Amino acid sequence: MEAIGHAETHAAAPSAGGRRAIVLVGFMGAGKSTTSRMLAAELGVEAVDSDRELERELGEPIEAFFDREGEAAFRAREEEVVLGLLETGQDRVVALGGGSLGSERVREALRRHLVVHLEVEPEEAWRRASNRARPLARDRVRFDQLHADRAAIYDASADATLPSGDRNLPRRALNAVTALRGSPPGARLVWASAASGEYPVFFGRGLVSAGFFHPAEARRFVVTDANVAAHHRVSGEATIEIPAGESEKTLARAEQVLRELARAGATRGDLVVAVGGGVVGDLSGFCAAVYQRGMRHAQVPTTLVAQVDSAFGGKTGVDLPEAKNYVGAYHQPSAVIVDPDTLHTLPAEEAAAGYAEVVKTALIAGGRLWAHVRAGGEPGDDAILGCLRTKLRIVAEDERDSGRRQVLNLGHTVGHAIEAATGYRRYRHGEAIGLGLLAALRLSDRDALRAEVAELLGARGLPQRFDGASADEVVALVQRDKKRVSDRVPFVLVEAPGEVTPGHDVDDAALRAAVEELAA
Ligand SMILES: NC(=O)c1ccc[n+]([C@@H]2O[C@H](COP(=O)([O-])OP(=O)(O)OC[C@H]3O[C@@H](n4cnc5c(N)ncnc54)[C@H](O)[C@@H]3O)[C@@H](O)[C@H]2O)c1
């Protein structure tokens, strides 16, 4: 289900400042030609279409040459024309034929340019391509296979990936795409969409230390915590520093931040920038949602939890002494800037806590992401990017938790109850989620998978049992969970990695047993 990103693949690309043309790649039917004309007009530069150039060279339609001479002869001529187009240093927008990235020389030449992958769903691509006599769009099964194979190739070459479904999106994303020209080498852009808003996600090593920021023109009011401020800085009009820790995610602390924003002269047109983990992100996002009835918000996540999960999706809020995350608002960020280099200063226990969220997300995604994570090892760029893209895709389907998004609560029902029962002090959020995952897998009757997950978590030193509260207290808190509907608590359960579904009723006795098994 999940296509893992390939940030490592082109991490050695030359400085982005040297990226010249904007080159659009993607499967047939993605709208590359139309988009190239639209973006070129916007930028006041020339639009070039490699298929049209090729037809000019061939002196006949591509279909005619392809059918007569065969695919190999066609690819050779295509390579020649495309390399010619990519050789010149002109600032222009080039639409590339969908198959030309099969050539290694073309992929190599693309490294000098700003490459944008326009995604297209197979259904839509087939609808657009099959009625235009395209040689490779005559057999649906072969077409779908080609789509899957090529998506990975486009993604590996792309600096920016834009989802399908909205022909005007590339125009709206153009500022963010061109911002990559000022980013450190290897940085990439992923586009996030949800019902209430869309935003660019920049991902790359060195973004924070290089001072990269987007949107660059906004006045920034930075919120951070004391631990993060000692290592990482994002410049701004003012910096509001709060003490670190979950116990600071309170209404009182939010009031302090709101008053400091007012004293510093922040207005609705400005940007609140969270630089830190999930606590700073949730708290400052909430402040941005309510300050003057709403101002823009950007996230610069510096923990693994925040980079794979909490910085995305627009859930903001604070805790009450009675329960976690009980006050809040949906407020999508305007941009998220993810720099995995900031994780170098993260204490080992915090990295381990974040690892529990990586395992959770990989269980939800299944496929390549799960294969990658179950192999063990440090979660690198591919795992982080794979997790954040999984989260973005789920939020795009269901922003407000009414259906699909509930799968992200895998492990959270019991996890939150353990956090609450131990006063939010005994366990880190991720540690509690790890325990919650073990309970959810037991309730799912997936013993082998539970053992495998326990091993992955154990290898990071994550707890396999909880203390500081009784099983009775935890079960009572599960019953009070805010996701409760009528008198039952719906659980997220796992059939297999990649097959995770919400809304399951679980038996009280089974719940008690799954919790008791975790009690020390
Ligand atoms: N909004 C969402 O969708 C969502 C999703 C998941 C979790 N959350 C929330 O996120 C919070 C947990 O987030 P977290 O685990 O990031 O906790 P956190 O923000 O408390 O950060 C953990 C610790 O690491 C420190 N730290 C952060 N970055 C650092 C760095 N680069 N170097 C050194 N120290 C650093 C912090 O000061 C803190 O002490 C919880 O409140 C949870 O409810 C929200």
Side-chain angles (χ1 to χ4, degrees):
M1 170 175 160
E2 167 57 15
I4 300 175
H6 293 267
E8 271 134 16
T9 336
H10 68 171
S15 142
R19 293 173 196 167
R20 290 165 291 199
I22 292 180
V23 182
L24 306 181
V25 302
F27 204 55
M28 56 191 116
K32 288 165 293 188
S33 307
T34 323
T35 306
S36 69
R37 289 194 293 276
M38 178 168 84
L39 297 186
E42 200 75 22
L43 294 165
V45 298
E46 181 195 15
V48 187
D49 185 319
S50 74
D51 283 350
R52 296 291 82 76
E53 293 298 315
L54 184 54
E55 287 190 330
R56 212 188 332 266
E57 285 280 320
L58 297 173
E60 62 180 327
I62 285 175
E63 292 76 25
F65 183 89
F66 193 103
D67 285 344
R68 193 182 62 250
E69 306 285 334
E71 182 161 1
F74 169 73
R75 294 292 171 212
R77 296 294 296 273
E78 182 185 45
E79 182 183 62
E80 207 179 289
V81 168
V82 168
L83 287 174
L85 287 176
L86 297 180
E87 217 162 64
T88 65
Q90 245 174 302
D91 184 7
R92 56 188 181 177
V93 184
V94 183
L96 276 203
S100 60
L101 274 76
S103 151
E104 203 182 316
R105 291 174 68 205
V106 167
R107 294 198 301 274
E108 183 58 34
L110 281 174
R111 293 156 75 89
R112 297 193 297 275
H113 299 280
L114 196 49
V115 181
V116 180
H117 175 194
L118 298 182
E119 290 184 318
V120 60
E121 297 301 321
E123 198 57 47
E124 177 70 0
W126 176 255
R127 198 177 58 70
R128 291 196 197 145
S130 60
N131 59 9
R132 289 171 54 191
R134 302 264 183 120
L136 298 174
R138 293 170 190 157
D139 169 345
R140 181 62 202 262
V141 175
R142 197 171 156 222
F143 183 84
D144 283 357
Q145 186 57 51
L146 196 63
H147 179 277
D149 294 347
R150 285 201 186 156
I153 297 173
Y154 299 139
D155 219 43
S157 291
D159 299 294
T161 305
L162 301 181
S164 63
D166 178 348
R167 296 220 140 202
N168 283 315
L169 169 61
R171 196 203 310 268
R172 297 196 302 277
L174 186 57
N175 263 340
V177 169
T178 53
L180 281 174
R181 285 194 168 125
S183 69
R188 56 185 294 166
L189 168 72
V190 175
W191 195 256
S193 347
S196 70
E198 56 182 6
Y199 52 96
V201 177
F202 294 91
F203 180 93
R205 293 191 176 266
L207 284 171
V208 169
S209 57
F212 174 85
F213 198 82
H214 182 88
E217 72 290 349
R219 279 211 315 170
R220 311 198 281 259
F221 292 81
V222 175
V223 180
T224 189
D225 75 28
N227 293 342
V228 179
H231 301 290
H232 309 287
R233 286 208 172 265
V234 170
S235 65
E237 204 69 23
T239 296
I240 301 167
E241 194 178 300
I242 62 170
E246 182 74 33
S247 55
E248 300 299 328
K249 211 175 109 175
T250 60
L251 277 170
R253 199 55 79 190
E255 182 181 1
Q256 180 210 325
V257 171
L258 290 165
R259 293 184 62 187
E260 289 198 33
L261 285 171
R263 279 198 293 271
T267 67
R268 292 198 60 187
D270 299 327
L271 202 59
V272 171
V273 183
V275 182
V279 166
V280 165
D282 281 11
L283 176 93
S284 65
F286 175 64
C287 292
V290 298
Y291 183 81
Q292 296 186 355
R293 298 194 184 80
M295 62 188 290
R296 290 183 300 162
H297 180 224
Q299 298 256 7
V300 183
T302 63
T303 63
L304 190 52
V305 169
Q307 294 195 349
V308 300
D309 189 351
S310 68
F312 312 93
K315 277 193 188 178
T316 73
V318 295
D319 303 329
L320 292 181
E322 287 72 17
K324 208 174 135 59
N325 294 329
Y326 249 43
V327 177
Y330 285 96
H331 189 49
Q332 297 294 342
S334 296
V336 181
I337 295 162
V338 182
D339 178 354
D341 274 352
T342 59
L343 302 179
H344 288 153
T345 56
L346 194 63
E349 321 79 69
E350 296 297 345
Y355 182 72
E357 299 279 3
V358 170
V359 172
K360 176 201 83 171
T361 311
L363 281 171
I364 294 168
R368 291 169 60 189
L369 183 55
W370 171 246
H372 193 77
V373 167
R374 78 188 295 198
E378 281 305 306
D381 290 6
D382 281 353
I384 297 173
L385 203 46
C387 286
L388 76 84
R389 291 174 101 176
T390 300
K391 170 133 189 193
L392 292 178
R393 195 172 33 249
I394 292 167
V395 174
E397 287 171 30
D398 169 30
E399 182 179 338
R400 296 217 164 204
D401 243 350
S402 50
R404 178 72 184 149
R405 185 166 179 169
Q406 285 167 20
V407 298
L408 293 168
N409 290 327
L410 176 63
H412 278 56
T413 313
V414 168
H416 276 172
I418 292 173
E419 277 186 285
T422 52
Y424 299 110
R425 286 198 168 77
R426 176 79 185 85
Y427 295 103
R428 289 178 179 78
H429 178 68
E431 290 170 341
I433 296 314
L435 290 161
L437 282 179
L438 297 178
L441 288 165
R442 180 65 79 219
L443 290 167
S444 306
D445 231 350
R446 290 292 169 271
D447 296 351
L449 190 55
R450 185 187 186 280
E452 189 175 359
V453 167
E455 199 171 315
L456 286 171
L457 300 176
R460 305 272 147 170
L462 285 162
Q464 314 268 307
R465 290 175 183 280
F466 68 87
D467 54 28
S470 68
D472 281 350
E473 286 166 313
V474 172
V475 170
L477 279 158
V478 168
Q479 310 295 0
R480 220 170 67 196
D481 189 287
K482 67 178 186 303
K483 288 173 283 296
R484 182 179 161 161
V485 283
S486 71
D487 63 343
R488 290 260 168 219
V489 183
F491 266 80
V492 182
L493 297 182
V494 182
E495 178 73 28
E499 292 173 47
V500 175
T501 47
H504 295 274
D505 215 1
V506 308
D507 184 72
D508 284 347
L511 170 63
R512 176 164 298 278
V515 173
E516 274 172 358
E517 179 184 22
L518 295 172

